[in-house]
Amino acid sequence: MIKLTPILLALVMGILTFRFSAWRTNKELAAKSSELADPTLSPLIARMAKALDLPRIRVHIYEIEPVNGLAAPDGKIYLTRGFYQKYRAGDVTAEEMASVIAHELGHVALGHARRRMIDFSGQNALRTALAMVLNRFLPGLGALLSGAALSLLMARLSRADEFEADAYAAALLVKSGIGTSAQKSLFDKLAHLTGARGATTPAWLLSHPKTEERIKAIEKLETDWGLNKV
């Protein structure tokens, strides 16, 4: 019979890892960011805040170069300096940047940002427990197999989160009068902006859905909402 003590210890370590990781992430973001103040973007952000019945939406610039947007565990929205520089250089429009902010707001509103941190701690605990079980039958391979299985599972869950955040963003952009065109056009630019063009990693191993799948999902929403009627 499998002893429960090591599994319980793994769960405790998972919880401690989550708390430390969330604290460290929030501390780093606070230390390396400043609030966005942009004369073109700010009115678009204000329109989204009004659509959500919020007094304002705070967006911060995170001082790193990779092109990305993110929602922190505490619910704050960040755009990286690298992404903002692409916008300032004219590679990305203000409406496309607004769509990124709307997407990250979706992660916050739908609970993805905090759940991802919880998932991270849970993954560590579950990976340890599963490895222990598998090692009883496949000595030496338990850790490898448990890691691979959980990576595939979490990639699938992450892709589901992205579709949900896309749908939330689409609804918010429509309600704000910004529309979904910029959201779709940004997807077409992402591979070039992030340097991922030509990547050969299979889509089912990626944490984000394929670009064409995301665009099709938004177009389906447009049809469902009657936005394509002439």
Side-chain angles (χ1 to χ4, degrees):
M1 183 176 178
I2 300 172
K3 295 182 179 180
L4 294 179
T5 300
I7 297 177
L8 291 175
L9 287 175
L11 291 173
V12 170
M13 286 302 298
I15 294 172
L16 293 176
T17 300
F18 158 64
R19 292 186 179 278
F20 176 73
S21 182
W23 171 81
R24 183 176 59 184
T25 298
N26 288 331
K27 183 177 180 180
E28 179 180 348
L29 287 170
K32 296 182 178 179
S33 66
S34 57
E35 189 167 352
L36 171 68
D38 185 276
T40 306
L41 270 176
S42 293
L44 296 177
I45 297 172
R47 286 163 64 178
M48 290 192 289
K50 183 178 180 180
L52 293 171
D53 292 325
L54 296 174
R56 65 179 300 189
I57 294 171
R58 295 180 183 271
V59 179
H60 297 77
I61 298 295
Y62 181 30
E63 298 295 341
I64 61 173
E65 288 304 313
V67 173
N68 206 353
L70 61 108
D74 61 1
K76 292 180 180 176
I77 305 299
Y78 293 85
L79 298 172
T80 64
R81 174 64 66 181
F83 210 160
Y84 185 67
Q85 294 288 33
K86 294 289 186 183
Y87 156 68
R88 295 287 294 172
D91 297 327
V92 181
T93 69
E95 289 76 15
E96 287 170 342
M97 290 298 281
S99 76
V100 177
I101 295 168
H103 177 89
E104 298 306 328
L105 285 169
H107 282 311
V108 172
L110 298 170
H112 298 161
R114 182 163 293 276
R115 190 176 75 208
R116 284 177 178 181
M117 294 300 296
I118 296 173
D119 285 346
F120 173 74
S121 64
Q123 286 176 58
N124 287 336
L126 185 56
R127 182 180 289 107
T128 301
L130 185 57
M132 292 169 52
V133 174
L134 291 176
N135 270 330
R136 293 174 62 89
F137 305 100
L138 298 169
L141 294 177
L144 180 63
L145 293 175
S146 64
L150 283 173
S151 294
L152 291 175
L153 174 62
M154 297 315 301
R156 181 174 181 179
L157 293 176
S158 182
R159 290 196 297 273
D161 285 353
E162 294 304 317
F163 278 123
E164 290 179 1
D166 284 348
Y168 180 97
L172 176 55
L173 292 167
V174 170
K175 187 175 181 180
S176 305
I178 299 170
T180 55
S181 295
Q183 187 181 18
K184 293 185 293 183
S185 64
L186 180 64
F187 287 151
D188 284 328
K189 297 179 180 180
L190 280 179
H192 175 72
L193 291 171
T194 60
R197 185 175 299 279
T200 57
T201 306
W204 52 276
L205 283 178
L206 299 176
S207 61
H208 284 59
K210 284 185 175 181
T211 295
E212 55 267 28
E213 292 176 350
R214 299 177 78 173
I215 292 176
K216 286 181 180 178
I218 293 171
E219 290 175 341
K220 183 179 185 304
L221 289 174
E222 292 171 339
T223 300
D224 293 342
W225 296 338
L227 300 179
N228 294 328
K229 294 181 179 179
V230 179

